[in-house]
Each structure stands twice: as structure tokens, then as C-alpha cells.
């Protein structure tokens, strides 16, 4: 019995791979997405075929009201949450600092940082053994950008992931005595549609891959495998860790 997992930003990319592996591992899941209802519903239908309950729930994680309503639906339709994957995240177009505006900062911090805080808060309220919960696990998606800084590309995005690394350490130490394990994963360059949003085209990705020690891009399922391990009982003594899944980058 694995319990009930919320995966944010699961209509495509890494989140969809996490959703698929979570269902295969025996979780019932809430599959969150922001805009692409058709993609989310198609994935949900496929995963229901594996015999688990899959609740498809639209919510912008940066919006507190939408997050609160999403958790209320999960309570009512699935039951008490035992796992959260804070995966929803956005990048921003490549730019230098001097050319950036405050609107993009508010949006990228809103989704990547406030969104993770909001979902972690609502999950902790339900999982905490001090509040009648059964404990649980949270995994936050960071990025190697947190440590590399992404100069000339998106230092703001990198800074949101630096914040996620701090959040993982702090929450892990705050919540472990309430039965909640918090960890993170730092992907390198993974082949998903996210790069198009920052204006990075296929040939540039291939060139970047050639520079990596492993000489190839990562796959979403390779990140998902690390997330599922961190959620699992096999990681029962792993607390506040952030695992690099980056091909040696
Ligand atoms: P992706 O392919 O762009 O997918 C993003 C997902 O998040 C989509 O399902 C999208 O749903 C959802 N989403 C976007 N904004 C949202 C919001 N405000 N509220 C709820 N859901 C939202 O991204 P990815 O490459 O799989 O990345 C997943 C995570 O890994 C992100 O946190 C990213 O920063 C991190 N990461 C990725 C890489 C990489 O190379 N790909 C590297 C390091 C870290 P809709 O399509 O419905 O809007």
C-alpha cells in the first residue's frame, strides 16, 4: 500500500513520467496541470488503465485559492495525501539581467517558489503526525542551475531553484519530527518541451549535450526514478538530501 500522491505539473515532461512511475509503483495519484486539459486527461485515462485511481486537477500552483481548492478536491475524492512532488515549474526566455523586468521575476518566483511553498504547506497540514496525519514524503524539483547560476541565460530561474534547495533543507529539518521526509532532485539537461519556452532550440540542446560528461541529454523517466526512490521506504533515512540527476554535469 503506497498511499496517495499529488504530482504538480504532470501533464507532460518530467511530471508525466513521475505520474506514470507512481501509478506503476501502486500509488493513487492526483495529476495536477495548469493549462493543457487535453494532455492531462489523456494521461489520466491511460494511467487509470493500470488500475489505480487518478484524479486530474487543474490549478495554477502560484494561486493560493486554486491550490486550496485542489487540496479540498483531493481530500474529498482521493483521501488523505501521503506524498507530494513539487514538480510544476517554468523557465523564462533567455536574457541578461539588464534586460529583465519585474513581471517575469514575479511569475517565475510565483510558480517555482511560492507554488512549492503553498503545496508543501497544504501537504504538511494533512501529513503531519502532530495534526492527526500518517506522515509522508515530499520531493522538490530543483535544477543544476541552482548551483551553476545560468549566467547570461536566466539567473532569475536559477535563483528560484536555489530557493528550492534551501527550502528542501529547512523543511526537511522542520518536518521530520512530524513524520514527513523532505528531499529534492536536481536534474541536469533533460529532454522535455520546457527548453522551447526559454528559446533554446534542438541544435543548441544537442550541442549542450555534447559538452556533458555523459555526452547525452537526460530522459524524464531517469529523473522520475530518483523521485520515486526518494518517496519510497527504501529512502527512509534520507532526509534533506538533494540528488543530482545530471549525467555528471
Ligand atoms: P515542462 O515539460 O515544461 O512541463 C511543465 C509542467 O508543469 C506541465 O505539465 C505544465 O502544465 C505544468 N505547469 C506549468 N506551470 C504551472 C503552474 N503554474 N501550475 C501548475 N502546473 C504548471 O517541464 P519539465 O522539463 O518537465 O520540468 C519539470 C520540473 O523540472 C520543473 O520544475 C523544472 O524547473 C525542473 N527541471 C527541468 C529540467 C529540464 O531540463 N527539463 C532541468 C532541471 C529542472 P500545462 O502544460 O498544463 O501548463
Amino acid at each position: 500500500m503506497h498511499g496517495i500522491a499529488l504530482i504538480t505539473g504532470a501533464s507532460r515532461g518530467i511530471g508525466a513520467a513521475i505520474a506514470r512511475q507512481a501509478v506503476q509503483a501502486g500509488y493513487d495519484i492526483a495529476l495536477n496541470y495548469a493549462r493543457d486539459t487535453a494532455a492531462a486527461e489523456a494521461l489520466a485515462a491511460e494511467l487509470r488503465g493500470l488500475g489505480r485511481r487518478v484524479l486530474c486537477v487543474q490549478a495554477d500552483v502560484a494561486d493560493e485559492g486554486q491550490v486550496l481548492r485542489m487540496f479540498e478536491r483531493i481530500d474529498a475524492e482521493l483521501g488523505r495525501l501521503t506524498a507530494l512532488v513539487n514538480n510544476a515549474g517554468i523557465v523564462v526566455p533567455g536574457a541578461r539581467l539588464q534586460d529583465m523586468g519585474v513581471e517575469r521575476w514575479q511569475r517565475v518566483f510565483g510558480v517555482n517558489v511560492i507554488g512549492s511553498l503553498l503545496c508543501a504547506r497544504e501537504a504538511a497540514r494533512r501529513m503531519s503526525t502532530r495534526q492527526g496525519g500518517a506522515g509522508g514524503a515530499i520531493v522538490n524539483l530543483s535544477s543544476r542551475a541552482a548551483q551553476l547560476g545560468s549566467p547570461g541565460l536566466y539567473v532569475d530561474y536559477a535563483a528560484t531553484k536555489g530557493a528550492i534547495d534551501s527550502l528542501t533543507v529547512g523543511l526537511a529539518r522542520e518536518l521530520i519530527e512530524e513524520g514527513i521526509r523532505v528531499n529534492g532532485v536536481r536534474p541536469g539537461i533533460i529532454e522535455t518541451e520546457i527548453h522551447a519556452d526559454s528559446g533554446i532550440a534542438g541544435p543548441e540542446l544537442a550541442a549542450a549535450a555534447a559538452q556533458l560528461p555523459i555526452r547525452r541529454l537526460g530522459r524524464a523517466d531517469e529523473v522520475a526514478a530518483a523521485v520515486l526512490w526518494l518517496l519510497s521506504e527504501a529512502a527512509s533515512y534520507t532526509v534533506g538530501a538533494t540528488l543530482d540527476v545530471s549525467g555528471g554535469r
Side-chain angles (χ1 to χ4, degrees), residues 23-242:
V23 167
Q24 286 165 349
Y27 288 90
D28 291 328
I29 65 164
L31 191 160
N32 159 260
Y33 68 100
R35 290 165 307 186
D36 194 346
T37 304
E41 290 290 358
L43 179 62
E46 177 200 325
L47 298 183
R48 284 185 197 112
L50 300 176
R52 307 304 317 180
R53 294 182 300 158
V54 179
L55 175 67
C56 210
V57 52
Q58 192 274 334
D60 176 350
V61 295
D63 183 308
E64 184 175 24
Q66 293 185 34
V67 170
L68 294 179
R69 283 194 290 282
M70 170 169 72
F71 274 84
E72 282 163 12
R73 271 196 70 192
I74 295 168
D75 293 340
E77 297 182 40
L78 287 179
R80 196 185 273 265
L81 200 70
T82 59
L84 164 68
V85 183
N86 268 323
N87 169 79
I90 56 170
V91 289
V92 272
R96 294 179 62 80
L97 179 74
Q98 290 93 323
D99 301 318
M100 293 179 187
V102 74
E103 270 177 29
R104 72 180 251 154
W105 294 338
Q106 279 163 341
R107 185 64 189 152
V108 73
F109 275 82
V111 175
N112 296 4
V113 182
I114 307 281
S116 296
L117 282 163
L118 282 170
C119 291
R121 183 188 72 190
E122 293 311 305
R125 285 175 174 167
R126 286 154 176 87
M127 293 174 183
S128 171
T129 50
R130 274 196 207 145
Q131 291 171 254
I138 297 175
V139 175
N140 296 322
L141 268 288
S142 173
S143 169
R144 281 292 287 133
Q147 294 166 322
L148 300 171
S150 306
L153 183 57
Y154 36 49
V155 293
D156 44 1
Y157 168 80
T160 68
K161 295 302 187 176
I164 292 298
D165 282 0
S166 300
L167 181 65
T168 296
V169 171
L171 275 188
R173 294 174 181 172
E174 180 171 318
L175 294 176
I176 190 61
E177 58 183 356
E178 297 174 53
I180 305 169
R181 278 188 314 105
V182 182
N183 289 289
V185 171
R186 248 183 243 111
I189 310 175
I190 311 301
E191 202 166 5
T192 72
E193 293 169 53
I194 203 170
H195 306 289
D197 295 339
S198 60
I200 299 174
E204 284 175 81
L205 276 183
Q211 303 297 317
L212 301 176
I214 200 169
R215 304 273 185 259
R216 67 169 177 84
L217 301 175
R219 298 188 312 269
D221 66 279
E222 294 175 307
V223 180
V227 171
L228 265 290
W229 179 75
L230 287 168
L231 290 179
S232 78
E233 268 307 296
S236 52
Y237 204 66
T238 304
V239 174
T242 297

